[in-house]
Amino acid sequence: MKLEIKALESNHTWEVVSLPEGKTHIWCKWIYKIKYKATWEIERFKAMLVDKGYSQREGIDYQETFSPVIKMQSPRQWNSKLTEALLKFPFKQSPFDHSLFVKKTDSGNIVVLVYVDDMLLAGDNLKLIQDTKEAL
């Protein structure tokens, strides 16, 4: 925990300020994980300080949500109906990332990346992209 706090401070992740009048603070908690090597040996212990965002209330504690990046790790909570639809096209699900779908045809290639409630379509054939959007 001390190393994580030191890293956050050295990166200037936050600035201590007074809480605005009428506002309440958001609690945080520590998450602990063990990172393993491919041989299942322990590589390191990881500590992460995370906020308990579920305690916030829309319109009071925040106005809108924001997700700055798409991480390539597979999110575990995603729409199974979308998966079924993509597999019917036929897209192939990536064995390394279960939220990444790939379709290769004679006319071009297209990939679909699903992240929680967002989707990214990319390909080398505009008509194939349009057809996929219409089918979805």
Side-chain angles (χ1 to χ4, degrees):
M1 288 174 15
K2 288 179 183 178
L3 289 173
E4 183 67 14
I5 291 286
K6 189 173 182 172
L8 294 170
E9 288 173 342
S10 67
N11 289 327
H12 306 288
T13 304
W14 64 65
E15 180 181 339
V16 178
V17 296
S18 299
L19 193 64
E21 189 175 322
K23 298 293 180 182
T24 58
H25 65 277
I26 298 170
W27 291 97
C28 60
K29 65 179 179 177
W30 284 99
I31 304 287
Y32 303 100
K33 290 188 177 184
I34 301 174
K35 299 288 184 172
Y36 294 95
K37 298 178 182 178
T39 59
W40 290 102
E41 295 176 73
I42 294 176
E43 181 177 328
R44 63 188 165 109
F45 297 95
K46 179 79 175 154
M48 295 175 287
L49 183 62
V50 298
D51 69 329
K52 295 183 177 181
Y54 56 81
S55 65
Q56 294 176 297
R57 295 162 299 182
E58 185 176 3
I60 297 171
D61 298 312
Y62 68 92
Q63 301 302 322
E64 58 186 69
T65 59
F66 176 71
S67 179
V69 295
I70 292 179
K71 292 187 178 181
M72 293 305 287
Q73 294 90 354
S74 301
R76 299 295 183 239
Q77 66 282 62
W78 60 312
N79 190 328
S80 62
K81 289 182 181 178
L82 179 61
T83 304
E84 292 170 16
L86 285 167
L87 292 175
K88 285 179 186 175
F89 283 127
F91 277 82
K92 291 189 178 177
Q93 199 169 16
S94 167
F96 304 108
D97 188 338
H98 298 289
S99 61
L100 179 64
F101 295 85
V102 179
K103 183 176 182 180
K104 295 181 179 189
T105 68
D106 292 337
S107 60
N109 303 309
I110 186 168
V111 295
V112 177
L113 178 63
V114 179
Y115 183 75
V116 187
D117 61 352
D118 290 319
M119 191 180 336
L120 173 71
L121 279 78
D124 56 5
N125 182 316
L126 190 56
K127 181 167 180 358
L128 189 57
I129 293 172
Q130 282 302 118
D131 291 346
T132 303
K133 285 169 61 176
E134 287 174 21
L136 292 172

